[in-house]
């Protein structure tokens, strides 16, 4: 399998930066980023990523709306989506599965955990490039 | 030979007195005596016969025959011997008689040899002289001759007696005649008939009746009855007949009509003269003119009556202060004394009309009490005359002496004659005291006029006293009320929890109530009279307040002060300038309310509410904190995993940025939570909204879009930044909660002017300039039934635990404390819009917000001269509203007169240049002549200051008309304080 391509959609630039760092540096995945819902939808349609890491709370089009758009579009409906969430209890109230996501991860996240969970959700084999000494 | 005075010497004096009574010595010879002497000589056949009267030192011959001498010394007298004895003295031959042998009249001429004398004995027994016969030869008389001689001597004495009686009778007659001629009247003898037909009447009658004596007695053209006054004739007749019947004298006073037709009063006293048989012969008596006495008596009576009236009236005035009662008494007594038909008191009004305020009127005449009368003739010239004390007497309104219109005016009340005197009270013509005679003309006497005048003066005194009394009563009442009020107030002052302090202008404490004792801890004994302000922390601030109070009359605000225990105490302080009755500042009245607890509670409440707000923010804060913490934690992990230095810097930068953001977030929250209140400053809403936007952007759901628009020219507001923050935050939180599914939060602001006629404003909103801040959402909206309750404390639509319901209530409290107001509009499903109005600072205010707009006067007296009544009144009102006191004049003359009366008070004169009577330029010159230092502001619509300067007039300020109030006030302030 070629290097998986993963789209990170988050309005928080710093979050986006560290998540990208984890994916690229630890997992060796290829990363594309979007900093708003609309941007993310456009990128998803254009770049057809292998997976999408989606922040739920965003100004403008929020993550839930974007997810519905993705699932409604045949082009993107099969792209697995993992929700990045801060809202604790969110997962209790609305099942991410009902929304069509394959998983949800609460911030803040440990980089290794994050990568492992994402790989686990996606069923990818993870070859950690940099490990703790 | 010695003087032959004998044992009867002691009788010599009465003898001489008896002699002298006859007044015979040294009188001419009289036939009656001479006849007797001749008879004696013939009977006795002697050549000599003499009637001898023996005087003190001589013997004098009243009558003599055959003798030339008329007297001889008594000491050689034969007769002196004769009067010593009762019987005749016969000396037959003197040469043989020892008593006479050596007598010179014997030895010498006429050589007497024979003497025979008989004493002249008066009826009372005194021998005053002799009848004697003498011969040159010795001889004898026979008995018959002697007896004849004695008889003749008796005849001599009889003759002496007769002579004396005649003399006395003549004297009496002369006396009576003189008496009658000099009597102030006349005597009469008249028949007792109805005419009193005169039998005798003395000449004095002319002086009394004007008729001559002859007209009564000779011509018989007048009788004593005809002259009597017809009214008195009958009573007099009856009185006289009564007296005559009872044989008593009569005395009466009655009137007569004199020949010239004049009336006179006479007094008469008389009696009947009766025959021995008791029949009445005639009346006789005396009549005298008593007109003068009668008139004097009448005057005396009138005077007594008038004095009585004066006494009654003055006594009334002294005893009663009831003006009505005094006036009632006055008119009724005056009418009685003057015997007038109507007496009234006429109260004059300024328009020339008047009211009849008191009246006493004869029952025959129409009362006019209470009528308002307008006399078309009664002009100001009359007022002036009355004012000068004129008494106006009209004896007959038809005699042409008064104006026809006045006569017509009087006729409607039936007046024929009147007497009018002014009542002048306190230098003003109060009214008139008027007497009317209605049936016939009347000559008013000077006394009556004077009486009325004096009464009018008394009435004036009564009016004055009564008004003083009323005034005193009112003052007393007011004082009692004031005292009661002061007592009540004093009690209230001590009951009051407020500290009430009075300080004079020198800062001495003159009042320190129990509230002040409780608040500060110092007792009034410790504080009274001290010039201290121990409780004030900021003495410079205190000075500033004093200045403000002096300038504007009051001040209020909040102060932090000290107690005796050096503890802080917060007070709401209200200062008022207390003035003397003349307007000069006197003291500061300070009322301080302890708001320490209230302020603390308020602050605690606001802080609690803010903490609640933060609580509701917590969700957002948590999200933010995660967003802050997540990059940090992850970067730290990555740093650990990536010893490669090339990437480390990147993670360090992320950590740094995130940590900074976190710090900023915390700071914002803390600023809000710990906010410092109570300090008002000029705020720019733009800055505030930026800060708010930052917080809510950080903390609100991303699903809520935030839109702000603040124009550049937005006015500033005066406010407490923390509290304004709190308002906006509360409103934003409500907006957020109204948009659980996201939406648009809009924050905008604009300048807005509120007109008084804007009907959509909530109660209590004042017109003016505002900054309106709108916080609008696109959320669920508020139901119509809830919208009226949303500002109630503890009202909430949120679930349990989501809100306390204090948010909007707090917002309202804060807005009100900033003198603002708020409106809300909402539609279910479409959202809600809150609009907060805060008073905008005006451009001028932004520089110096505390400066008063218009300076205030400190009760200075201003003389305002302007001929335009409207301008004068408006200016006066405006000046008084700004703390000045004003005297107004409508022309230059009045202005000068006012100034000269109030020189010491008037500080400044505002003089209009164009005025009638005396124009402004003359007035200003005159004022400056009186006081070169008087401050003058000239006003004019036509003249300019340059014109004035050309005319050589220098004033302190010149205002061109029309000017606005503020200009005048400012220029007055400047001139007065220059």
């Amino acid at each position: 399998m070629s290097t998986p391509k993963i789209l990170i959609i988050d309005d928080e630039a710093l979050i986006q930066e560290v998540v990208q760092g984890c994916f690229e540096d630890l997992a060796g995945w290829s990363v594309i980023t979007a900093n708003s819902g609309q941007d993310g939808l456009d990128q998803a349609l254009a770049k057809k990523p292998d997976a999408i890491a989606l922040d739920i709370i965003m100004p403008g089009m929020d993550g839930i709306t974007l997810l519905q758009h993705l699932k409604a579009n045949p082009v993107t409906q099969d792209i697995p989506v993992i929700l990045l969430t801060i809202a604790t209890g969110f997962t209790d109230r609305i099942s991410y599965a009902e929304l069509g996501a394959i998983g949800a991860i609460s911030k803040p996240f440990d980089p290794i955990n994050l990568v492992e969970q994402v790989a686990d959700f996606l069923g990818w084999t993870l070859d950690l490039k940099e490990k703790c000494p | 030979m010695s003087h032959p005075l004998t044992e009867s010497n002691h009788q010599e004096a009465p003898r001489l007195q008896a002699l002298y009574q006859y007044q015979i010595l040294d009188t001419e010879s009289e036939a009656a005596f001479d006849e007797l002497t001749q008879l004696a000589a013939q009977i006795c056949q002697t050549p000599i016969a003499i009637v001898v009267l023996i005087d003190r030192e001589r013997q004098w011959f009243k009558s003599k025959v055959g003798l030339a001498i008329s007297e001889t010394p008594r000491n050689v007298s034969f007769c002196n011997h004769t009067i010593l004895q009762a019987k005749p003295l016969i000396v037959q031959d003197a040469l043989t008689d020892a008593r006479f042998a050596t007598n010179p009249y014997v030895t010498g001429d006429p050589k007497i040899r024979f003497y025979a004398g008989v004493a002249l004995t008066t009826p009372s027994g005194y021998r005053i002289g002799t009848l004697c016969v003498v011969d040159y030869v010795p001889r004898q008389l026979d008995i018959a001759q002697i007896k004849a001689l004695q008889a003749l001597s008796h005849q001599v004495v009889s003759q002496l007696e007769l002579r004396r009686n005649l003399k006395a009778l003549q004297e009496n007659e002369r006396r009576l005649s003189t008496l009658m001629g000099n009597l102030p009247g006349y005597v009469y003898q008249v028949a007792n008939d109805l005419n009193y037909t005169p039998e005798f009447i003395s000449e004095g009658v002319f002086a009394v009746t004007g008729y001559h004596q002859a007209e009564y007695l000779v011509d018989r053209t007048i009788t004593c009855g005809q002259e009597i006054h017809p009214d008195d004739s009958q009573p007099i007749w009856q009185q006289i007949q009564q007296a005559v019947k009872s044989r008593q004298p009569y005395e009466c006073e009655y009137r007569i009509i004199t020949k010239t037709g004049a009336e006179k009063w006479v007094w008469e006293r008389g009696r009947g003269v009766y025959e021995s048989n008791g029949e009445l012969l005639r009346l006789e008596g005396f009549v005298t003119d008593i007109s003068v006495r009668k008139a004097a008596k009448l005057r005396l009576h009138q005077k007594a009556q008038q004095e009585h009236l004066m006494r009654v009236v003055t006594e009334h005035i002294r005893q009663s202060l009831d003006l009505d009662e005094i006036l009632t008494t006055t008119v009724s007594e005056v009418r009685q004394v003057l015997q007038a038909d109507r007496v009234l008191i006429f109260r004059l009004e300024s328009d020339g009309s008047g009211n009849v305020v008191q009246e006493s009127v004869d029952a025959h005449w129409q009362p006019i009490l209470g009528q308002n009368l307008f006399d078309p003739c009664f002009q100001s010239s009359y007022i002036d005359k009355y004012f000068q004390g004129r008494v106006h007497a009209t004896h007959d309104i038809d005699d042409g002496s008064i104006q026809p219109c006045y006569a017509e005016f009087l006729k409607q009340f039936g007046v024929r004659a009147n007497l009018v005197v002014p009542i002048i009270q306190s230098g003003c013509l109060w009214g008139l005291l008027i007497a009317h005679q209605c049936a016939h003309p009347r000559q008013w006497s000077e006394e009556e006029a004077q009486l009325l005048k004096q009464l009018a003066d008394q009435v004036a005194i009564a009016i004055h006293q009564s008004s003083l009394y009323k005034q005193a009563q009112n003052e007393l009442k007011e004082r009692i009320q004031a005292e009661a009020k002061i007592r009540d107030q004093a009690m209230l002052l001590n009951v009051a929890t407020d500290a009430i302090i009075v300080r004079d202008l020198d800062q001495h404490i003159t009042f320190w109530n129990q509230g002040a004792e409780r608040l500060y801890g110092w007792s009034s004994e410790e504080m009274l009279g001290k010039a201290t302000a121990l409780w004030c922390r900021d003495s410079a601030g205190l000075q500033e307040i004093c200045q403000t109070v002096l300038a504007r009359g009051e001040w209020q605000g909040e102060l932090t002060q000290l107690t005796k225990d050096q503890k802080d105490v917060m007070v709401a302080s209200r200062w008022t300038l207390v003035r003397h009755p003349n307007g000069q500042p006197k003291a500061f009245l300070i009322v301080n309310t302890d708001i320490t607890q209230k302020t603390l509670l308020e602050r605690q409440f606001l802080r609690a509410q803010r903490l609640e707000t933060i609580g509701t923010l917590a969700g957002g804060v948590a999200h933010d904190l995660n967003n802050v913490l997540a990059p940090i934690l992850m970067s730290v992990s990555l740093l650990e995993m990536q010893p490669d230095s090339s990437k480390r810097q990147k993670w360090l930068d992320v950590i740094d940025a995130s940590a900074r953001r976190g710090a900023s977030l915390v700071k914002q929250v803390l600023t809000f939570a710990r906010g410092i209140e109570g300090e008002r400053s000029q705020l720019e809403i733009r800055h505030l909204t930026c800060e708010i936007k930052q917080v809510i952007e950080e903390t609100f759901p991303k699903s809520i879009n935030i839109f702000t628009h603040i124009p550049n020219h937005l006015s500033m507001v005066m406010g407490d930044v923390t509290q304004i923050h709190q308002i906006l935050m509360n409103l934003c939180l409500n907006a957020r909660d109204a948009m659980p599914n996201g939406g648009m939060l809009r924050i905008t602001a604009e300048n807005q002017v509120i007109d008084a006629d804007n009907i959509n404003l909530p109660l209590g909103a004042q017109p003016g300039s505002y900054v309106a801040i709108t916080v609008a959402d696109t959320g669920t909206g508020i139901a119509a039934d809830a919208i009226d309750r949303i500002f109630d404390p503890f009202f909430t639509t949120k679930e349990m635990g989501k809100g306390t319901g204090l948010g909007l209530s707090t917002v309202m409290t804060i807005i009100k404390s900033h003198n603002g107001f708020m409106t809300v509009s909402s539609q279910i499903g479409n959202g809600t819009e809150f609009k907060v109005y805060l008073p905008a600072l005006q451009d001028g205010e932004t520089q110096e917000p505390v400066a008063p707009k218009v300076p205030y006067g400190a009760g200075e007296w201003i003389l305002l001269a302007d001929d335009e009544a409207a301008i004068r009144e408006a200016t006066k009102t405006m000046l008084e509203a700004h703390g000045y006191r004003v005297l107004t004049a409508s022309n230059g003359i009045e202005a000068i007169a006012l100034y000269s009366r109030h020189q010491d008070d008037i500080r400044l004169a505002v003089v209009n240049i164009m005025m009638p009577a005396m124009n402004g330029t003359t007035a200003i010159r005159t004022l400056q002549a009186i006081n070169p230092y008087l401050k003058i502001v000239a006003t004019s619509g036509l003249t300019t200051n340059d014109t004035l300067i050309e005319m050589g007039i220098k004033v302190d300020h010149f205002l061109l008309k029309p000017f606005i109030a503020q200009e005048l006030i400012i220029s007055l302030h400047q001139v007065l304080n220059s």
Side-chain angles (χ1 to χ4, degrees), chain B residues 498-538:
Chain B
D498 289 347
I500 298 170
I501 305 162
V502 179
R503 304 180 71 190
D504 61 22
L505 295 184
D506 300 329
Q507 308 300 344
H508 289 95
I509 295 163
T510 58
F511 185 79
W512 183 266
N513 78 334
Q514 290 178 9
E517 292 183 351
R518 282 191 292 268
L519 178 59
Y520 298 109
W522 286 287
S523 69
S524 61
E525 287 78 20
E526 286 176 277
M527 298 307 271
L528 285 182
K530 302 238 173 86
T532 178
L534 289 170
W535 61 94
C536 283
R537 281 163 40 127
D538 176 6

Side-chain angles (χ1 to χ4, degrees), chain B residues 931-960:
Chain B
N931 178 8
Y933 299 105
L934 176 67
K935 292 181 169 166
I936 293 177
V937 171
T939 69
S940 176
L942 297 170
T943 325
T944 64
N945 198 20
D946 290 341
T947 322
L948 285 184
I949 290 166
E950 275 170 30
M951 293 169 79
I953 292 174
K954 194 175 167 297
V955 295
D956 296 280
H957 196 83
F958 182 86
L959 276 176
L960 194 63

Side-chain angles (χ1 to χ4, degrees), chain B residues 192-330:
Chain B
N192 184 30
D193 57 34
L194 277 170
N195 278 327
Y196 304 102
T197 311
E199 292 170 9
F200 171 76
I201 204 147
S202 69
E203 272 179 27
V205 74
F206 176 71
V208 178
T209 69
Y211 296 102
H212 285 284
Q213 190 182 28
E215 290 177 87
Y216 291 93
L217 301 176
V218 183
D219 307 341
R220 301 248 158 217
T221 49
I222 182 83
T223 67
C224 292
Q226 288 172 319
E227 68 200 22
I228 300 174
H229 193 287
D231 291 353
D232 294 347
S233 153
Q234 193 59 27
I236 295 293
W237 172 257
Q238 282 168 1
Q239 189 187 347
I240 290 174
Q241 297 318 307
Q242 189 79 29
V244 165
K245 208 171 156 192
S246 57
R247 302 207 161 206
Q248 293 290 320
Y250 52 87
E251 194 176 311
C252 47
E253 284 180 10
Y254 57 93
R255 286 167 293 170
I256 59 165
I257 308 293
T258 68
K259 195 176 183 181
T260 59
E263 198 180 285
K264 269 187 182 173
W265 275 95
V266 295
W267 174 83
E268 175 174 338
R269 188 184 166 92
R271 62 183 180 88
V273 179
Y274 307 89
E275 281 272 42
S276 50
N277 64 6
E279 192 191 333
L280 177 70
L281 270 178
R282 64 179 76 88
L283 304 174
E284 58 182 28
F286 173 71
V287 176
T288 188
D289 182 352
I290 55 163
S291 293
V292 174
R293 181 155 57 95
K294 195 77 182 171
K297 203 169 157 190
L298 197 67
R299 271 203 303 278
L300 211 63
H301 178 68
Q302 281 175 343
K303 204 165 164 60
Q305 232 182 343
Q306 292 173 356
E307 275 169 6
H308 172 74
L309 176 59
M310 286 297 291
R311 208 165 48 242
V312 166
V313 172
T314 42
E315 210 139 282
H316 245 92
I317 290 169
R318 208 173 306 140
Q319 287 172 357
S320 168
L321 288 161
D322 181 347
L323 187 59
D324 272 353
E325 191 192 318
I326 292 167
L327 297 184
T328 310
T329 312
T330 305

Side-chain angles (χ1 to χ4, degrees), chain B residues 672-692:
Chain B
F672 188 61
R674 277 199 216 131
I676 297 160
E677 299 152 75
E679 288 176 10
R680 301 239 165 140
S681 55
Q682 292 176 32
L683 303 177
E684 285 205 44
I685 297 301
R686 169 189 292 280
H687 295 160
L688 262 158
T689 38
C690 279
E691 284 168 19
I692 292 289

Side-chain angles (χ1 to χ4, degrees), chain B residues 819-839:
Chain B
N819 299 319
F821 60 95
M822 177 158 67
T823 61
V824 57
S825 61
S826 183
Q827 261 189 315
I828 290 286
N830 284 338
T832 307
E833 180 183 281
F834 287 93
K835 239 174 160 170
V836 175
Y837 292 83
L838 296 173

Side-chain angles (χ1 to χ4, degrees), chain B residues 82-131:
Chain B
T82 311
I83 63 169
L84 294 178
Q85 55 190 53
K87 53 182 188 180
L89 173 65
I90 311 286
V91 180
Q92 291 181 355
D93 187 350
L95 284 177
T96 61
D97 192 316
R99 290 174 293 180
F100 307 109
T102 56
N103 188 297
Y105 295 108
V106 175
T107 55
D109 281 339
K111 292 193 173 148
I112 295 170
R113 295 295 295 274
F114 173 76
Y115 170 89
V118 182
L120 298 174
T121 307
T122 67
S124 46
Y126 293 107
R127 293 185 280 266
I128 58 168
T130 65
L131 172 64

